Amino acid sequence: MNKKIKVGIIGAGIHGLSTAWHLCKKLSSKGQLKENSVVVIEKTKVANGASGVACGIVRNNYYQPAKRSLMAHSVDVWNENAEALTYKPVGYMQINSQLMHEGMSEVYHQQKEIGFDSEFIEGASDCEKYMKDMLPDWQAQGITSVLHEKKTGYGANRGAIEGFHKLAISSGAKVIEGVEANNLISSNGSGAVTAVETSEGTIEC
């Protein structure tokens, strides 16, 4: 393991590996990617943490409007790399009683504002018809709205993280397992991290 690197990333879960992958692509496009530009250290194994047991749902159905464009971008990334990430774009449906109607209507209109592909069905009879057209044995009662996202879906939790691992490696990142980060070091009176103390020694970054 090189003890002097450009960028160090702690943790080989979905955030760490995706960050490494995209950062390598950005550096490469500028002609700045070198052998130790981006290094990920992981205390155990890739996908051994929360990312490896996540439910794997990829959707744009959240109440926080600030997330909307970010999630739309993420959905595009999953669709563009579906095979590598074990992604199945089967869609996502939020099926609601009257209690959820207003909130889901807001989510739908926010999705439409950014051009996100979804459909909103309202009214008990229209909802029942919509569901039975897809699932003839549909029997749920009290449904007054359905928010149907067309490009979302799910990825196999561990398989998806292994996919991000391969994408990160192929783009030029190094991923080193079995190295634990113990402390972050800053210098010159700044909060910026300049080194990481690990179980294998100190790495300057």
Side-chain angles (χ1 to χ4, degrees), residues 64-204:
Q64 300 91 336
K67 276 188 174 183
R68 197 75 55 224
S69 294
L70 173 63
M71 298 311 298
H73 168 77
S74 296
V75 168
D76 287 341
V77 172
W78 284 89
N79 276 280
E80 289 163 8
N81 301 275
E83 185 175 355
L85 302 177
T86 70
Y87 180 62
K88 310 294 183 188
V90 296
Y92 178 86
M93 301 183 79
Q94 176 75 40
I95 301 168
N96 316 294
S97 66
Q98 186 60 37
L99 184 66
M100 299 280 288
H101 193 144
E102 183 178 351
M104 286 302 103
S105 177
E106 289 179 13
V107 169
Y108 169 70
H109 285 99
Q110 289 166 11
Q111 290 177 346
K112 289 294 101 180
E113 286 174 5
I114 62 169
F116 190 77
D117 189 11
S118 65
E119 191 170 352
F120 192 56
I121 298 88
E122 301 180 84
S125 60
D126 286 346
C127 288
E128 183 175 18
K129 181 181 185 305
Y130 190 81
M131 294 307 301
K132 283 189 172 180
D133 283 345
M134 285 184 290
L135 304 166
D137 59 347
W138 179 261
Q139 297 180 35
Q141 300 296 308
I143 305 302
T144 62
S145 66
V146 175
L147 176 59
H148 188 181
E149 300 178 11
K150 300 301 181 71
K151 298 196 301 180
T152 48
Y154 69 95
N157 42 30
R158 194 171 189 86
I161 309 310
E162 290 291 353
F164 277 107
H165 182 203
K166 291 174 183 175
L167 289 169
I169 295 292
S170 66
S171 69
K174 282 187 177 178
V175 179
I176 305 173
E177 298 173 313
V179 177
E180 185 169 4
N182 298 318
N183 189 35
L184 303 179
I185 302 170
S186 59
S187 60
N188 302 322
S190 166
V193 174
T194 56
V196 181
E197 289 181 358
T198 79
S199 56
E200 297 294 322
T202 300
I203 306 172
E204 294 182 34

Side-chain angles (χ1 to χ4, degrees), residues 9-70:
I9 296 172
I10 300 171
I14 190 169
H15 290 97
L17 293 171
S18 182
T19 298
W21 171 37
H22 285 93
L23 183 55
C24 282
K25 288 200 298 181
K26 186 172 184 177
L27 290 173
S28 180
S29 71
K30 295 180 175 182
Q32 299 173 357
L33 184 64
K34 299 178 181 177
E35 185 179 357
N36 290 294
S37 291
V38 181
V39 177
V40 182
I41 62 170
E42 164 57 48
K43 66 181 177 180
T44 56
K45 297 283 186 183
V46 169
N48 258 22
S51 295
V53 293
C55 64
I57 294 173
V58 177
R59 63 178 183 175
N60 195 354
N61 181 354
Y62 296 91
Y63 277 125
Q64 300 91 336
K67 276 188 174 183
R68 197 75 55 224
S69 294
L70 173 63

